[in-house]
Amino acid sequence: MANHRSFLILLVLSIYFVANIHTCLSAPNISAVCSKQERLALLKFKHSVYDVADMLSSWVGDDCCQWERVHCDKVTGKVESLHLRGSEDHIISDEYGFREMLVGNEVSSSLRHLRNLKFLDLSANYFQGSQIPEFIGSFKHLSYLNLSYAYFSGVIPPQIGNLSNLKVLDLGSGPYSYTTLMSDDISWISGLSLLKYLDLSHVDLSKAQNRDMVFYLMPSLEMLSLSGCGLTNAYFGTLSNSSTTLANVKHLDLGGNHFKGQFPAFFQNMTSLEFLDLSYFNFSLSRNSRNFLSTVCSFPELRLSNCGLQSMHLSFDHLNSTTISIIQHLDLSQNLIEGRFPSALTNMSSLLSVDLSSNMLNSSVPIMPKLLRLDLSWNNFEHIEDVGIWRQCHLKELTVSDNYFRIEMTDSPENVSECSQYAFKRLHLDRSLKGAFHADSLGRMTNLRGLSLSGNNLTGPFPESLGRLRLLEELDLSNNQLTGSIPESIGQLTKLRYIDIYKNSIEGVITEAHFAKLSMMKYLFITSNSKLTVNVSREWKPPFQLIEADLSSIKILNGFPQWLRTQKKLKVLSLSNVSITGPLPTWLRKMPVTGLLDLSHNKLTGPLTNLPDEGSAALFLQDNLFNESIPISLCRWTDMEYLDLSRNRLTGRIPECLGNMWNLVSMQFSSNQLSGVIPSSILPQSSMLRTLNLNDNHFTGELPRELWSLRGLNILDLGDNAFSGNISEWIGENLTNLGVFRYVINMDLSSNNLVGEIPVELMSLSALVGLNLSNNHLNGGIPDSIGNMKALNSLDFSGNQLTGPIPPSITALNFLSYLNLSHNNLSGQIPTGNQLQTLTDPSIYVGNRDLCGAPLPKNCSNNEDQTTMHKNSKGATHKSNKVWFYMDIMCGFAAGFCGVIGVLLFKKHWRHKLFSSLLRKPWTR
């Protein structure tokens, strides 16, 4: 794997060097200045994107050749290279949250004026599903084009085939991207005769014509990736002439497709091949699988993940001992290998890395002295000793996550390490361990760069020996039961970039000494350690520049942390529940927090006028003592997605300009003293709003009809206000005509001044989990079709003027756990059966003098079925078949729900913040 990466890096660098060598040879002493046209073109591009990480902050002044990420020809001053790649550090940025990238609706056409471009890299940015622009085909001098992982979609423009000088083309993406590139005819590839590197990973080629041209017409090709392209065996049908098939290719990735059955013979003539990925090629259906294994095992790097392999395929009898000795890197993950460690692997003398994750191994792992990397995660090992961790002296990377060892580790003399020194650079043991980690052995891992022990049940104190790991860059001890204090020696780890001790029981005081030499620190997560205190002086100037900081649910002394004003790159800041008081400091206005700002659950006071000038994607200020009105300056945060100002002392009206927040997913203003009518501008038809919570304020007027434009709404809470109007007219007419609110799962309109009958149409919202219409002035009966709301968990109609019997269909609500029908004028016998039998509290029905039957003490006078006396004629007219409508409701709810939380899948610490809040109060975030 290391050789493969080195090859790719060398290839790309060589191409770039050749493309630019003439500029170096002919460069004069004084560099030329870029033209006005190209400078304006770059500035237009800059203004067309949202620069999340200030990647383009140097793009000021008259000479664009002096700007970062821009390179010009030193003679002509023409722009030749644009290095606009997003996150370069995927380990930190992708897994742990914030990403450095550009966000745009499309690639600005202004770039077409850069006619001398030779190098263009827009990878790892976010272009929101837009198409690759056709004008890219006009860059005749282009030799390097990288648009990978940039969220493009649609058909690849055939104009790319005009780039006859192209040597590197990367359009690849990952398997879980929500956007998909495709090609219906790949004949454009014939124009790229000089191409050496082609990556079309996860481009849909399932219906593309002329796919075989990739194999026949690319004589210079050395690297080809067609992973996850939707290819089948039919793709191999035209590749029988093996003598002309990719003779010079060194790297071939065909993994993640739909191949099965017989294996093509042309692999055998690829004498230059060094890397072959056939993952998801179903070996079990092939008659010649054993012979083929002997063939493919002659490549230095081989990936056979999820190929239906079993231990029998890996027995030494079936493999040629000469060919297998060539293998250096082998991926056998996600197969059916069970029991003992495959004996054939121990005979592969050249083996450097093995991936056996997601199998069913459970026996002792042998020591292989030359092995450098080993992944045994998601297996069935019962004890850490089974993987020989204390005997693996030569391994540089070991991953044994998600094995759930049944036997606790102990720090006893019996487990003394057999290695005087370890070679480990990265050690991942997440969600597997119990007990105390071997402290002495940890101290001998002085080469460690990355240590991850998250999600275990580790006890004993915080390991003192961590202070001896001078090369450590990433440390993750989150979600454990560690106690004691953090040793000051951790402040001497000069290379530490990332530390996460979230959710432990660590105590003591953190001082300046704990950060003394952490100049490389960028990500700091010490949240949810309630006994931990941070005590630094107000004059302290830290040596680091953080990108993300989460200090929530600890104790911070000396008020609002003054040291934060020195952090010029901070994008994510969480100080929730840290006991800070007083007004927001004025210097907070200049903070660059554009990802997440969470100051909730404190005792902050005063107005919100000192919030950062730059908008954040998520702002959580709930549970404080903020007063005065919502400032107009908040309207500048046009990219806001989550806004929570609940449980403060805010007054006045909602500013109409909040309607500028087109991306808003959640707006929560509950439990304030806001008043007036809800501005129609904040409820635009194109809104992405999923949660609207205005509960417990002083809003007046009729229920806003603009709510009917929010077709993706999941949670609606307008309770405890002074809204008026007829609910039958508001819901009945609009729901019938527009079919809206189909995705709503929680609706609270309680404690208002609503009148009218409960609309029968409301009963069609079968996705509803919670419905609260209590304490209004509603009359009429409970609709007979109440039983249609199958998902209902909580139902409250109390404090109204409802009449008639309780419909028998209410017994069909099998998930009902909370019911309140008290203080109405209901009559007749209380229905019995199913889930209703478990709700035995008489207070559910109190205040209805004509109700009888259990659980009330009042017996009914006769056994006549009281419910047949009442017919809801209005309900009868709405008993048409709604099967397809209900299916639409459930599908829509799933889509809407994923829309709210989908982005959190890649935001680890945002998940912690959002879901821990969910547990505190249902449906508030």
Side-chain angles (χ1 to χ4, degrees):
M1 188 178 299
N3 291 342
H4 159 61
R5 289 175 180 164
S6 300
F7 161 71
L8 294 181
I9 293 172
L10 181 61
L11 174 63
V12 172
L13 289 177
S14 299
I15 293 170
Y16 181 61
F17 175 74
V18 171
N20 291 276
I21 191 169
H22 75 280
T23 63
C24 299
L25 295 176
S26 60
N29 293 329
I30 301 176
S31 299
V33 179
C34 76
S35 69
K36 179 180 179 181
Q37 183 185 37
E38 291 192 332
R39 176 171 57 85
L40 293 177
L42 290 172
L43 289 176
K44 285 183 180 179
F45 173 81
K46 177 182 178 179
H47 294 143
S48 72
V49 295
Y50 172 52
D51 188 1
V52 175
D54 295 330
M55 292 166 53
L56 311 181
S57 58
S58 68
W59 287 23
V60 293
D62 293 333
D63 188 4
C64 63
C65 293
Q66 302 299 317
W67 297 350
E68 293 180 3
R69 299 174 177 263
V70 179
H71 298 278
C72 301
D73 184 287
K74 293 185 179 180
V75 177
T76 65
K78 298 296 185 181
V79 176
E80 288 191 330
S81 302
L82 281 183
H83 299 257
L84 299 178
R85 180 177 179 82
S87 297
E88 295 184 3
D89 190 341
H90 293 293
I91 295 176
I92 291 294
S93 60
D94 287 352
E95 183 177 353
Y96 297 124
F98 178 75
R99 287 195 60 185
E100 298 180 354
M101 62 181 176
L102 303 174
V103 179
N105 294 322
E106 60 182 2
V107 178
S108 172
S109 60
S110 65
L111 292 185
R112 72 182 186 274
H113 296 297
L114 309 179
R115 302 186 183 279
N116 293 275
L117 270 185
K118 296 180 180 179
F119 185 104
L120 178 59
D121 189 347
L122 294 173
S123 62
N125 290 299
Y126 184 47
F127 289 101
Q128 305 189 67
S130 62
Q131 290 191 311
I132 297 175
E134 295 180 0
F135 68 76
I136 283 182
S138 65
F139 297 139
K140 301 295 185 181
H141 303 287
L142 208 62
S143 62
Y144 181 100
L145 177 60
N146 191 344
L147 304 178
S148 64
Y149 294 91
Y151 294 91
F152 289 109
S153 65
V155 177
I156 298 174
Q159 287 83 355
I160 287 181
N162 297 333
L163 305 176
S164 57
N165 289 308
L166 207 59
K167 294 181 174 65
V168 173
L169 175 60
D170 192 343
L171 302 178
S173 64
Y176 304 112
S177 175
Y178 74 90
T179 59
T180 302
L181 280 172
M182 60 174 295
S183 180
D184 47 18
D185 189 337
I186 207 168
S187 59
W188 52 265
I189 208 81
S190 62
L192 309 179
S193 59
L194 300 181
L195 206 62
K196 292 180 178 294
Y197 182 109
L198 177 61
D199 191 338
L200 298 178
S201 300
H202 301 283
V203 173
D204 185 0
L205 301 178
S206 60
K207 298 178 181 178
Q209 300 181 39
N210 301 304
R211 292 175 297 190
D212 56 334
M213 286 187 175
V214 176
F215 273 58
Y216 287 139
L217 297 181
M218 312 294 291
S220 301
L221 205 61
E222 297 181 16
M223 185 279 181
L224 174 62
S225 178
L226 297 174
S227 66
C229 291
L231 303 177
T232 64
N233 286 57
Y235 176 69
F236 292 132
T238 58
L239 301 179
S240 57
N241 188 357
S242 59
S243 62
T244 62
T245 302
L246 294 177
N248 296 311
V249 74
K250 296 180 180 180
H251 175 111
L252 179 59
D253 186 349
L254 295 174
N257 286 290
H258 307 300
F259 303 131
K260 59 184 177 180
Q262 296 299 107
F263 303 106
F266 65 82
F267 289 116
Q268 302 178 27
N269 291 335
M270 292 183 179
T271 55
S272 300
L273 202 60
E274 297 176 358
F275 173 100
L276 178 62
D277 190 336
L278 292 176
S279 298
Y280 289 82
F281 201 135
N282 196 335
F283 278 55
S284 62
L285 300 178
S286 175
R287 290 175 294 177
N288 65 341
S289 62
R290 295 181 181 179
N291 295 332
F292 180 71
L293 276 174
S294 298
T295 301
V296 298
C297 283
S298 61
F299 305 127
E301 184 162 355
L302 181 61
R303 296 186 179 180
L304 301 173
S305 175
N306 207 325
C307 289
L309 292 174
Q310 299 177 4
S311 299
M312 60 171 290
H313 292 119
L314 301 174
S315 63
F316 191 67
D317 297 338
H318 300 144
L319 298 177
N320 186 300
S321 59
T322 302
T323 57
I324 64 173
S325 64
I326 298 176
I327 298 180
Q328 296 179 346
H329 310 282
L330 180 61
D331 183 353
L332 296 173
S333 60
Q334 301 183 64
N335 282 289
L336 304 174
I337 307 168
E338 59 182 336
R340 299 181 61 82
F341 192 89
S343 59
L345 302 186
T346 61
N347 295 298
M348 297 181 180
S349 57
S350 59
L351 206 57
L352 298 178
S353 68
V354 177
D355 187 345
L356 286 166
S357 61
S358 299
N359 281 291
M360 296 178 285
L361 299 173
N362 58 19
S363 65
S364 180
V365 176
I367 302 301
M368 303 169 65
K370 292 187 178 180
L371 198 65
L372 300 179
R373 300 175 186 85
L374 178 61
D375 190 342
L376 297 172
S377 56
W378 292 101
N379 275 282
N380 296 332
F381 295 106
E382 296 188 358
H383 192 273
I384 194 171
E385 288 298 326
D386 293 338
V387 302
I389 183 173
W390 310 129
R391 297 177 286 116
Q392 300 282 6
C393 305
H394 302 283
L395 275 181
K396 291 188 177 181
E397 295 185 15
L398 176 62
T399 302
V400 199
S401 301
D402 297 286
N403 273 278
Y404 306 102
F405 297 129
R406 294 182 179 87
I407 304 174
E408 286 196 7
M409 294 187 300
T410 61
D411 212 357
S412 67
E414 297 177 2
N415 296 325
V416 173
S417 167
E418 299 180 16
C419 308
S420 59
Q421 197 73 16
Y422 288 95
F424 287 128
K425 289 188 176 180
R426 301 200 176 273
L427 183 60
H428 298 270
L429 299 171
D430 306 295
R431 298 171 299 279
S432 291
L433 306 178
K434 297 178 181 179
F437 197 82
H438 199 296
D440 178 64
S441 297
L442 183 61
R444 300 184 196 180
M445 299 179 185
T446 54
N447 293 308
L448 269 182
R449 270 71 164 176
L451 175 62
S452 184
L453 302 173
S454 68
N456 290 299
N457 291 311
L458 294 180
T459 57
F462 195 96
E464 289 274 352
S465 52
L466 282 173
R468 301 205 293 269
L469 308 181
R470 300 295 182 176
L471 300 179
L472 198 63
E473 298 174 359
E474 300 167 23
L475 175 63
D476 189 347
L477 300 176
S478 61
N479 281 285
N480 280 290
Q481 300 172 23
L482 296 174
T483 59
S485 60
I486 301 175
E488 289 187 358
S489 59
I490 204 168
Q492 304 300 311
L493 303 182
T494 57
K495 296 185 181 297
L496 197 60
R497 296 184 302 160
Y498 176 97
I499 183 169
D500 188 351
I501 57 172
Y502 163 80
K503 202 172 184 182
N504 278 283
S505 298
I506 298 171
E507 54 192 30
V509 179
I510 293 181
T511 65
E512 289 98 327
H514 290 88
F515 303 107
K517 296 183 179 180
L518 303 186
S519 60
M520 301 295 291
M521 180 73 70
K522 294 187 181 342
Y523 301 87
L524 176 63
F525 306 110
I526 59 177
T527 180
S528 297
N529 288 278
S530 59
K531 298 179 181 179
L532 189 63
T533 300
V534 174
N535 186 9
V536 296
S537 68
R538 295 178 68 85
E539 294 77 26
W540 179 58
K541 294 183 178 180
F544 47 71
Q545 285 292 322
L546 296 177
I547 294 177
E548 294 190 20
D550 191 344
L551 284 69
S552 301
S553 298
I554 61 172
K555 190 173 294 183
I556 293 181
L557 302 183
N558 299 324
F560 205 100
Q562 293 295 308
W563 60 268
L564 287 171
R565 67 193 305 176
T566 68
Q567 303 301 294
K568 306 302 182 184
K569 298 182 179 180
L570 194 63
K571 304 301 178 185
V572 172
L573 174 63
S574 183
L575 295 175
S576 173
N577 189 29
V578 293
S579 305
I580 52 177
T581 61
L584 297 177
T586 56
W587 51 260
L588 188 63
R589 295 180 183 178
K590 301 303 179 184
M591 292 294 291
V593 182
T594 54
L596 164 73
L597 178 60
D598 188 349
L599 303 176
S600 62
H601 304 283
N602 286 292
K603 294 184 179 179
L604 294 167
T605 59
L608 298 178
T609 49
N610 287 335
L611 287 172
D613 292 335
E614 294 187 63
S616 176
L619 177 64
F620 299 123
L621 300 177
Q622 68 271 25
D623 285 292
N624 278 288
L625 302 173
F626 291 117
N627 56 24
E628 298 189 15
S629 59
I630 299 174
I632 301 297
S633 60
L634 201 61
C635 299
R636 293 199 297 264
W637 297 28
T638 55
D639 293 300
M640 179 86 73
E641 296 179 20
Y642 298 89
L643 176 60
D644 194 339
L645 305 179
S646 301
R647 298 180 294 282
N648 279 285
R649 299 176 178 177
L650 299 173
T651 59
R653 295 172 176 261
I654 297 178
E656 294 210 15
C657 59
L658 290 187
N660 296 334
M661 298 180 178
W662 291 94
N663 296 321
L664 202 62
V665 173
S666 176
M667 178 190 290
Q668 304 197 59
F669 294 161
S670 65
S671 299
N672 280 286
Q673 300 169 29
L674 299 171
S675 59
V677 297
I678 300 177
S680 59
S681 62
I682 71 169
L683 305 173
Q685 187 169 1
S686 58
S687 174
M688 298 176 63
L689 204 62
R690 300 291 181 265
T691 298
L692 179 62
N693 188 348
L694 305 179
N695 181 279
D696 190 18
N697 279 283
H698 305 307
F699 293 113
T700 58
E702 293 194 353
L703 290 171
R705 296 193 176 272
E706 290 79 12
L707 283 172
W708 297 107
S709 66
L710 303 179
R711 295 175 179 266
L713 200 65
N714 298 143
I715 298 167
L716 175 64
D717 192 341
L718 303 179
D720 292 288
N721 280 285
F723 290 113
S724 59
N726 189 305
I727 192 172
S728 300
E729 298 174 1
W730 183 72
I731 288 184
E733 294 177 6
N734 288 286
L735 193 61
T736 300
N737 296 333
L738 301 178
V740 295
F741 280 8
R742 64 184 63 185
Y743 307 141
V744 174
I745 58 176
N746 192 67
M747 181 185 290
D748 187 341
L749 301 175
S750 63
S751 301
N752 281 287
N753 296 318
L754 303 178
V755 299
E757 297 185 2
I758 298 174
V760 175
E761 293 82 1
L762 192 61
M763 305 300 107
S764 66
L765 301 183
S766 60
L768 267 181
V769 173
L771 176 61
N772 190 348
L773 301 178
S774 64
N775 298 313
N776 280 286
H777 307 290
L778 307 180
N779 54 30
I782 299 175
D784 286 341
S785 52
I786 185 74
N788 292 343
M789 307 176 77
K790 300 294 185 182
L792 210 58
N793 180 270
S794 175
L795 177 64
D796 194 340
F797 288 162
S798 64
N800 281 286
Q801 300 160 20
L802 301 177
T803 58
I806 301 173
S809 69
I810 199 171
T811 61
L813 303 180
N814 293 324
F815 295 101
L816 200 65
S817 62
Y818 177 84
L819 176 64
N820 193 349
L821 302 178
S822 64
H823 302 289
N824 280 284
N825 296 316
L826 299 171
S827 59
Q829 184 171 350
I830 297 172
T832 59
N834 299 329
Q835 181 68 10
L836 209 61
Q837 293 294 97
T838 66
L839 304 177
T840 58
D841 185 354
S843 66
I844 293 174
Y845 307 102
V846 72
N848 292 277
R849 65 178 185 178
D850 293 327
L851 274 182
C852 61
L856 294 177
K858 180 181 179 181
N859 293 324
C860 296
S861 57
N862 55 61
N863 293 327
E864 181 181 359
D865 186 357
Q866 299 284 333
T867 60
T868 60
M869 299 170 56
H870 177 75
K871 297 292 182 182
N872 191 322
S873 58
K874 186 175 183 180
T877 64
H878 291 274
K879 292 184 179 179
S880 60
N881 187 353
K882 305 220 174 188
V883 173
W884 292 107
F885 181 51
Y886 293 157
M887 292 178 64
D888 191 24
I889 288 173
M890 298 307 293
C891 293
F893 161 62
F897 188 68
C898 292
V900 176
I901 68 169
V903 293
L904 303 178
L905 293 177
F906 299 102
K907 304 282 187 182
K908 178 179 178 182
H909 292 280
W910 293 28
R911 292 200 303 271
H912 293 166
K913 187 62 55 185
L914 292 172
F915 294 128
S916 61
S917 178
L918 270 175
L919 294 175
R920 287 195 296 267
K921 181 181 177 183
W923 313 122
T924 59
R925 201 182 276 181

